[in-house]
Structure formats: structure tokens, C-alpha cells
Amino acid sequence: ERQRIIEAGLTLDLQTNKWTGQYAYVEDPHTLPYNESLARKIAEKDRARMVKDGTYDMYVQVFNDAIDRGVFQKATEADLAYEGPKFCSSIVVAYKEDSSSTPMRLCANSSLTFKGTSFNKIMLSGPPPMQKIFYHLMLFRGYKVGITADISKFYNCILATYFDSQMKRVLFSPTPDGPLEVYLTKVVNFGELAAGNLAVTALKLTSRLFSGKSEAEVKEMYGDGPVKGSDIVAKPELWKQPEIPTYPEE
């Protein structure tokens, strides 16, 4: 039932070839208290820390890249005057020192709690959207050659509804001492409870509609990338052995 509700929240625009995902909720979003004061204190503290350790310029660069990709959009006067449910997420910075292309990743803390609740707390999570990681760790071992791939910016491929975007506000300033201003999150983003389920469900629906791929093939993906192998498959009886066989070069 939960998966059916998740699917019902997805709509496809055939003109733009874009999915839009509407989150489902276990509590009325109108009960969310507006938490900008808390989010502002956190953002100011985080900015001061990054200015001190010399990483704020990188943070601004990564945030501006997200703006260019349509992840964030500065709130207009009309957006700020919105009378529906509103909520702010803080931004969690994850550093990837081994990555030259993405040394810093921005994740939304949608579990930021204010007066006993949060955006994630009222959201319907849905069933687990993927096979367990053990399945994927074993799957490619049944092939002679392992293959993996990646869908770039997987979660961000799904657009958010305006209703949801108002509950995914974040605060940002391009300068170390300028005012922190409100931005709306216009897509599904890291840190949102049902983001993975919504994105994987959209992928499954796309495969059914356009590629002729079976749902079983989509299940061979882990998150945003398939983990499998070539068409040369190990014989089924080999899986019964106590150890996974290895394949020498022919």
C-alpha cells in the first residue's frame, strides 16, 4: 500500500521528460512549526566555522553549482509570503578528499527537529526501494566480468512540487558576512526520508514505459548504479559451494 501511494505521487511531463515527485505524509504538514530562527542560528555557526577553516569559498562554489543545476532557487517576495506549511533544513557538508570532481557534497538535514517534529518525521517513507546490499555484493560474483555504472545526480533528477519545496527551505549567502537569504529546494535531495524510494520508483516506472526493461533488471541497481556483469554467468550449482568461485584468465 505504501509503495502504491509513492507511485501515485509521481507524474511525468512528456514535453520536458521530467518526473515530478509529491511526497506523502503521515501527519498534516500544516502542523509543522516554522523553524527559520533555529535554521538561521545553525547556518550562521556553520558559516563562521567554514570561514575560519578556509572552506567557505568552496562551499559557495558548490552551492552556486547547485543553483545552476536547478537544485536551489532564491525565494521571491511571493515565495516568502506563502501562507502554506513552511520548514527549513540545515545544510550538512560532507567532504570527499579522494574525489577531484566533487570534493564537497551538500546534504539537507531534513531531520532537523523543532518543537518535537521535523520534515522527515511527518513524511511517509515507503518500503525499502532496493535489494539489500548483500544481494549486490554477491550478484556480480556470478559473472565472469563485473560491471558497474552511475546515474549522475540521481535524486536531483526528480523535481519537487511547490508545496514540498516550501518545506525544504535552506539559508545561504554568497559572502562571508552578507545576510543569509531563503532558498527553495526545487528537486528531491539527499537527506530527505523518502528521496531514495521516490527516485528508484521513478526509475522503475521509466523502465516500464520506455525501455522494455523488466523490474527485475532495475532491482539489480543499487541506488543510482547497476552492479552486475557480462552475459557469461556462472553455473547455478557453483553457488552451492561454500566459497564463491574465482575465474582465471583463459
Side-chain angles (χ1 to χ4, degrees):
E1 177 65 18
R2 287 187 298 166
Q3 185 58 37
R4 185 192 64 77
I5 294 172
I6 295 291
E7 289 189 12
L10 283 161
T11 56
L12 177 62
D13 186 331
L14 293 176
Q15 299 298 318
T16 62
N17 292 326
K18 289 281 189 178
W19 286 100
T20 297
Q22 168 71 61
Y23 284 134
Y25 299 97
V26 295
E27 297 179 29
D28 184 354
H30 292 82
T31 63
L32 277 177
Y34 191 38
N35 66 336
E36 184 179 327
S37 59
L38 173 62
R40 187 168 294 277
K41 289 178 181 178
I42 294 173
E44 289 172 347
K45 182 178 179 180
D46 288 344
R47 177 170 63 171
R49 173 180 50 78
M50 287 187 284
V51 169
K52 184 176 180 179
D53 64 25
T55 59
Y56 195 67
D57 286 345
M58 182 187 298
Y59 176 82
V60 170
Q61 180 181 348
V62 174
F63 198 98
N64 281 332
D65 175 69
I67 293 174
D68 292 341
R69 293 188 290 105
V71 177
F72 302 118
Q73 179 177 295
K74 187 176 178 180
T76 64
E77 290 187 8
D79 295 329
L80 295 174
Y82 177 74
E83 296 183 354
K86 303 182 289 286
F87 206 75
C88 292
S89 298
S90 57
I91 298 292
V92 178
V93 176
Y95 295 95
K96 300 177 64 179
E97 296 180 358
D98 59 342
S99 174
S100 59
S101 60
T102 315
M104 177 187 284
R105 174 172 289 177
L106 308 184
C107 303
N109 178 17
S110 298
S111 294
L112 182 63
T113 301
F114 184 67
K115 295 185 177 180
T117 191
S118 69
F119 183 51
N120 275 349
K121 188 173 182 179
I122 69 168
M123 192 186 302
L124 179 72
S125 63
M130 300 171 288
Q131 296 278 5
K132 292 182 178 180
I133 192 168
F134 179 78
Y135 170 86
H136 297 281
L137 289 173
M138 300 299 292
L139 177 66
F140 78 93
R141 289 174 168 83
Y143 295 89
K144 189 170 183 179
V145 179
I147 299 172
T148 186
D150 178 72
I151 299 176
S152 179
K153 314 300 182 188
F154 183 45
Y155 288 9
N156 295 166
C157 293
I158 313 299
L159 301 177
T161 63
Y162 185 72
F163 181 78
D164 285 351
S165 71
Q166 283 283 0
M167 292 180 284
K168 303 195 296 181
R169 293 183 171 195
V170 296
L171 299 168
F172 171 70
S173 172
T175 62
D177 53 2
L180 291 163
E181 298 183 285
V182 174
Y183 285 73
L184 304 185
T185 305
K186 305 297 289 184
V187 297
V188 170
N189 207 11
F190 293 105
E192 296 164 10
L193 181 64
N197 190 291
L198 201 65
V200 172
T201 299
L203 181 65
K204 290 178 181 178
L205 293 175
T206 302
S207 71
R208 292 178 200 166
L209 291 170
F210 300 108
S211 70
K213 298 288 185 182
S214 68
E215 188 164 322
E217 287 176 291
V218 177
K219 284 183 178 180
E220 290 185 355
M221 297 185 67
Y222 185 73
D224 58 356
V227 182
K228 52 185 301 183
S230 72
D231 292 332
I232 304 175
V233 186
K235 295 180 180 179
E237 59 267 27
L238 293 177
W239 290 94
K240 299 178 183 178
Q241 297 184 10
E243 295 183 357
I244 302 299
T246 57
Y247 296 89
E249 294 287 339
E250 291 184 352

